[in-house]
Amino acid sequence: MKRNPFKAKKYAVSKIYHAKPMDLERSEERPNVPEGIMTKCPSCGRIIYTKLLLKNFKRCDECGYNFKVSAHERIAMIIDEGEFIEFDAQMTTRDPLQFPGYADKLVKTQAQTGLADSIVTGMGKIEGYPVMIGVMDPAFFMGSMGTTVGEKLTRLFERATKEGMPVIVFTASGGARMQEGIFSLMQMAKVSAAVAKHSQAGLLYITVLTDPTTGGVTASFAMLGDILLAEPGALIGFAGPRVIQQTIGQKLPEGFQRAEFLLEHGFLDRIVPRDQMKYVLATLLKMHSQNRTGKATKEV
Amino acid sequence: MSISAWEKVKLARMPVRPTGLDYIERLFDDFIELHGDRYYSDDKAIVAGLAFFGDMPVTVIAQQKGRNTKENIMRNFSMPHPEGYRKALRLMKQAEKFGRPVICFIDTPGAYCGIGAEERGQGEAIASNLAEMMQLKTPIISIVISEGGSGGALALGVADRVYMLENAIYSILSPEGFASILYKDASKAEQAANDMKLTAQDLLEFGIIDGIIEEPAGGAHNDYNQMAENIRRVLEADLRLLVDTPLDELLDNRYRKFRRI
Ligand SMILES: [Zn+2]
């Protein structure tokens, strides 16, 4: 058996990487180095060559901190080079509530991120195994789910069901998008129904929970995978920690709602570091590439 | 063959005896451990996951003893809580969905007895496994590798084929527990072991198990690789047969196998 075969392969991120500034909001001070060439780890403060950081899957090799990755960076890390076909790339929301200021903010965010909304869906291959994939982008309205995310994911699952294909979804979300109100809430039911039909057809669904996955996304498709993987340290929960703390008026325990906490409490199958993610996903796809219908125990 | 039942009990409990993970390592490729019952916890007394047996994807579930005191504390001496059985059942249902066989390695003194285990429904968890395994629409093979203690062992033991290693034991209760209940004296465990009929040879004679897997001279601990090879041969032959059996026939046979006992 091949072990970790992708390690030796060329890493393709640089081709797609949009040269956006790193997410440094959380760091106390801005790094004293030329923007772009070097990047400071917000967790341990280490100054890292940006190029090296990209080669390392945007993971600090000192402390293991996972930098935020955009949807397209994630796809480049996971999908075989040149094998990604995007679906519904232009779909955007109709602003169902005509919510004041929302349309303007959308246009601005679209210009900043180059994304139409907070998810990219499509089809590709992982180590040669075909898969449908959805990747949320935390930079777009905090990865929140409105009607566009709901519709794109539902279409993805419907298409996968029709074509008998597995689905992988990378979640990163603050939850339902408030600006689309009850329509956002209903996406939870809509996507979950499409997931259920895909499952009834005997098909594989893997979710990979990344930092942060909360609210209506956790309470719907994020938790419905046949296999639930997560990145180390990812915040995963229904209510956010600040809300809980304010509600109960107590300090929350160390590590509360982190991936390791969820693993311990039985809600995750496995925590997978970024540099092993492609290998683990490829192996799981390989294990499910037979018995496609799930009905027969013998090969037909 | 002249080893007494009590000597077999001691052999089965030897700390150097190979455990579930020792066999997983030797029999399967690309093992990916999966955790958690998705309700309460991840029970480390049961190790479970996906792997390839040759070219065939399988679900593997093993009750896991530690190799030293520290590991044993982490594994709770292979005495599962309800969440362990629920993890096993969750992954069996997953195996059913994807049509891959399930292989169980049984090795437990018994299901854990304690307050939390009762609060979370130890009895309910074991019962559900028995009922669900009987109806699981995919082949199941269970192997008692060392100790098969009580309902805690049976909860992974409703299978199309049930094997025991030559020096393994399988019983209603530990000999110590048996002695303290029936003879009011736990120190009479040796007598209990001989009276209980808990050896692989006894159980094969009763028709409780389907076969005995031979151990290397002196016991499984003397040659882990040889022991794993002996298991591999049995799995290879059986899996081919079971995978080719139509599902309704498979389930019918499984039901009747226990029905006639
Ligand atoms: Zn760092």
Side-chain angles (χ1 to χ4, degrees):
Chain A
M1 291 274 103
K2 280 199 293 183
R3 303 258 170 217
N4 226 351
F6 76 95
K7 258 194 171 161
K9 290 206 177 162
K10 248 199 322 186
Y11 183 54
V13 149
S14 52
K15 288 201 175 162
I16 299 181
Y17 182 60
H18 294 306
K20 270 183 292 172
M22 298 285 174
D23 175 15
L24 291 167
E25 279 165 35
R26 280 211 249 165
S27 75
E28 308 272 296
E29 56 208 281
R30 311 279 297 179
N32 249 343
V33 287
E35 188 85 18
I37 296 171
M38 306 293 282
T39 303
K40 185 176 176 180
C41 172
S43 174
C44 72
R46 187 184 154 107
I47 310 288
I48 313 162
Y49 271 110
T50 304
K51 264 192 187 163
L52 197 70
L53 188 65
L54 292 174
K55 244 185 228 155
N56 275 338
F57 302 87
K58 292 188 84 173
R59 185 171 163 271
C60 173
D61 54 9
E62 180 75 25
C63 72
Y65 175 80
N66 286 318
F67 287 77
K68 293 260 189 303
V69 289
S70 73
H72 286 293
E73 286 171 337
R74 182 76 71 177
I75 287 162
M77 286 180 189
I78 298 297
I79 298 290
D80 297 347
E81 203 172 341
E83 289 286 351
F84 183 69
I85 301 163
E86 189 173 352
F87 302 153
D88 305 310
Q90 303 305 318
M91 191 190 289
T92 84
T93 176
R94 292 186 182 137
D95 188 6
L97 303 185
Q98 296 295 301
F99 193 82
Y102 181 40
D104 290 345
K105 199 178 168 197
L106 265 173
V107 171
K108 226 169 105 190
T109 311
Q110 285 167 343
Q112 271 169 8
T113 59
L115 296 168
D117 209 300
S118 58
I119 195 164
V120 175
T121 59
M123 195 168 70
K125 286 182 181 164
I126 300 176
E127 298 293 340
Y129 294 95
V131 68
M132 302 246 176
I133 187 167
V135 182
M136 304 186 84
D137 195 310
F140 195 102
F141 279 77
M142 292 170 67
S144 61
M145 168 169 65
T147 50
T148 308
V149 170
E151 183 62 23
K152 282 173 89 167
L153 271 176
T154 303
R155 287 187 188 188
L156 186 77
F157 276 98
E158 285 175 350
R159 186 163 178 174
T161 306
K162 211 167 126 200
E163 295 181 22
M165 279 178 64
V167 176
I168 296 175
V169 175
F170 280 81
T171 63
S173 180
R177 189 169 302 167
M178 294 300 142
Q179 292 90 334
E180 296 186 33
I182 190 75
F183 287 91
S184 295
L185 187 75
M186 292 304 143
Q187 302 310 311
M188 293 165 64
K190 183 169 109 184
V191 179
S192 298
V195 172
K197 288 209 164 188
H198 181 258
S199 180
Q200 274 161 17
L203 298 165
L204 175 70
Y205 170 35
I206 301 172
T207 42
V208 184
L209 304 139
T210 72
D211 188 60
T213 296
T214 58
V217 167
T218 301
S220 61
F221 59 89
M223 286 291 153
L224 293 176
D226 293 297
I227 294 168
L228 299 188
L229 307 177
E231 289 199 314
L235 179 81
I236 302 159
F238 180 56
R242 223 175 319 152
V243 176
I244 298 173
Q245 195 155 341
Q246 279 162 12
T247 307
I248 64 172
Q250 289 172 30
K251 227 172 154 37
L252 299 172
E254 182 74 24
F256 181 68
Q257 291 185 316
R258 294 289 163 187
E260 295 72 15
F261 174 92
L262 270 90
L263 184 76
E264 194 60 39
H265 285 83
F267 291 99
L268 291 179
D269 279 298
R270 201 171 175 80
I271 293 174
V272 182
R274 243 175 222 179
D275 58 342
Q276 293 167 28
M277 189 63 80
K278 184 167 181 171
Y279 165 70
V280 169
L281 289 174
T283 308
L284 289 171
L285 288 176
K286 186 178 166 198
M287 284 167 171
H288 292 83
S289 60
Q290 306 165 17
N291 295 321
R292 183 157 276 201
T293 64
K295 281 168 196 133
T297 54
K298 54 184 161 186
E299 285 161 61
V300 188
Chain B
M1 283 307 287
S2 57
I3 311 178
S4 77
W6 180 243
E7 278 165 334
K8 281 187 189 273
V9 171
K10 288 194 282 188
L11 257 175
R13 290 175 176 170
M14 278 175 82
V16 291
R17 198 168 161 87
T19 65
L21 279 172
D22 295 308
Y23 294 125
I24 289 174
E25 211 174 278
R26 286 168 176 78
L27 290 168
F28 306 101
D29 293 315
D30 285 339
F31 178 64
I32 294 182
E33 188 179 354
L34 302 178
H35 297 269
D37 65 348
R38 296 217 185 145
Y39 291 112
Y40 179 77
S41 180
D42 180 48
D43 189 345
K44 294 174 183 66
I46 291 183
V47 171
L50 309 182
F52 284 104
F53 181 72
D55 292 335
M56 190 188 292
V58 293
T59 292
V60 188
I61 301 169
Q63 289 168 330
Q64 184 62 37
K65 284 185 180 164
R67 281 166 257 220
N68 50 51
T69 308
K70 202 177 143 212
E71 267 185 37
N72 256 322
I73 289 165
M74 195 253 288
R75 303 278 180 203
N76 199 33
F77 297 84
S78 196
M79 292 185 283
H81 281 77
E83 43 273 24
Y85 295 114
R86 289 182 182 129
K87 167 167 70 176
L89 183 57
R90 176 175 82 79
L91 294 175
M92 285 190 231
K93 301 294 277 183
Q94 188 191 69
E96 177 181 58
K97 174 178 171 184
F98 296 107
R100 57 176 164 256
V102 177
I103 296 160
C104 298
F105 294 102
I106 295 171
D107 186 7
T108 181
Y112 187 64
C113 101
I115 295 169
E118 295 300 320
E119 281 175 339
R120 298 193 291 279
Q122 188 71 286
E124 192 280 336
I126 293 172
S128 293
N129 279 26
L130 305 184
E132 295 284 350
M133 286 180 85
M134 190 59 90
Q135 302 171 72
L136 200 80
K137 294 184 187 71
T138 197
I140 310 173
I141 300 175
S142 294
I143 304 171
V144 184
I145 53 173
S146 293
E147 270 187 288
S150 84
L154 185 61
L156 295 185
V158 179
D160 300 303
R161 294 283 188 279
V162 182
Y163 291 98
M164 289 174 71
L165 302 197
E166 191 183 335
N167 295 314
I169 56 168
Y170 193 4
S171 58
I172 178 83
L173 192 61
S174 71
E176 290 79 2
F178 191 90
S180 85
I181 290 176
L182 250 70
Y183 312 140
K184 315 282 178 225
D185 183 356
S187 68
K188 289 188 175 159
E190 180 169 355
Q191 186 195 333
N194 292 323
D195 294 347
M196 285 169 82
K197 308 285 185 231
L198 45 60
T199 68
Q201 296 70 27
D202 291 326
L203 270 63
L204 182 65
E205 215 166 286
F206 293 145
I208 305 277
I209 61 168
D210 297 288
I212 296 173
I213 304 177
E214 199 187 328
E215 296 192 16
H221 59 283
N222 283 334
D223 192 343
Y224 284 26
N225 291 337
Q226 183 59 51
M227 189 66 249
E229 266 320 296
N230 295 355
I231 295 175
R232 180 194 302 279
R233 259 181 274 129
V234 171
L235 287 181
E236 262 168 9
D238 267 347
L239 279 175
R240 211 170 303 137
L241 209 69
L242 293 173
V243 163
D244 280 337
T245 309
L247 269 181
D248 46 352
E249 197 182 317
L250 187 81
L251 294 186
D252 217 39
N253 291 344
R254 194 186 299 159
Y255 180 77
R256 274 189 306 193
K257 183 174 139 62
F258 287 85
R259 174 68 186 81
R260 63 180 172 70
I261 297 175

